[in-house]
Amino acid sequence: MPKKKYSDEFKADAVELYETHPDMSYTQVAADLGVSRGAVKTWVYQSRKAAGAVPTGSADHPETTEDEIARLRVENADLLERQKRLRAENDQLAEERAILRKATKYFAAETSW
């Protein structure tokens, strides 16, 4: 069976889909995109490794202090970005909820018998 070639943009989009939806598994993302589970898992691993989020040390060659600091800085930046995104999403949801409450009160008062 021939191996399919996917563009770097497609791979990045697949990784972003997996990273932004913590409730989705590799299998679900793969099914949505029409690719294999192993491909998605490999792309996510490669992306994390490139970002420094995957420890590069092993039992024979432990991670150096400088590598650990660099990895932790990348992880910290990712966490801060995620926190910022979640706060913005939370603010939007709170605003939508307030609008729905006002609409409910309006329509409840309008339909009084």
Side-chain angles (χ1 to χ4, degrees):
M1 185 180 343
K3 225 177 181 185
K4 291 185 180 179
K5 295 284 185 180
Y6 297 101
S7 69
D8 292 337
E9 183 180 344
F10 181 80
K11 293 176 185 180
D13 289 344
V15 170
E16 183 180 351
L17 178 65
Y18 177 77
E19 296 286 344
T20 57
H21 292 86
D23 56 320
M24 292 182 75
S25 67
Y26 290 122
T27 305
Q28 291 170 324
V29 172
D32 287 350
L33 299 176
V35 298
S36 70
R37 177 188 175 278
V40 174
K41 188 173 180 180
T42 300
W43 297 338
V44 170
Y45 177 80
Q46 289 172 345
S47 173
R48 288 179 178 172
K49 188 174 181 180
V54 175
T56 56
S58 66
D60 297 336
H61 302 287
E63 187 176 38
T64 65
T65 305
E66 293 82 18
D67 290 341
E68 182 180 16
I69 290 171
R71 179 180 53 82
L72 291 174
R73 283 186 178 152
V74 169
E75 288 178 11
N76 189 35
D78 289 343
L79 289 173
L80 290 173
E81 177 62 33
R82 182 171 185 231
Q83 180 185 26
K84 182 179 177 182
R85 189 179 69 246
L86 289 173
R87 283 188 178 171
E89 184 181 342
N90 190 27
D91 292 343
Q92 180 183 357
L93 291 172
E95 183 178 346
E96 290 173 359
R97 181 177 166 203
I99 290 169
L100 289 173
R101 280 187 175 179
K102 288 178 184 178
T104 301
K105 286 180 184 178
Y106 173 79
F107 287 116
E110 189 176 279
T111 59
S112 297
W113 304 96

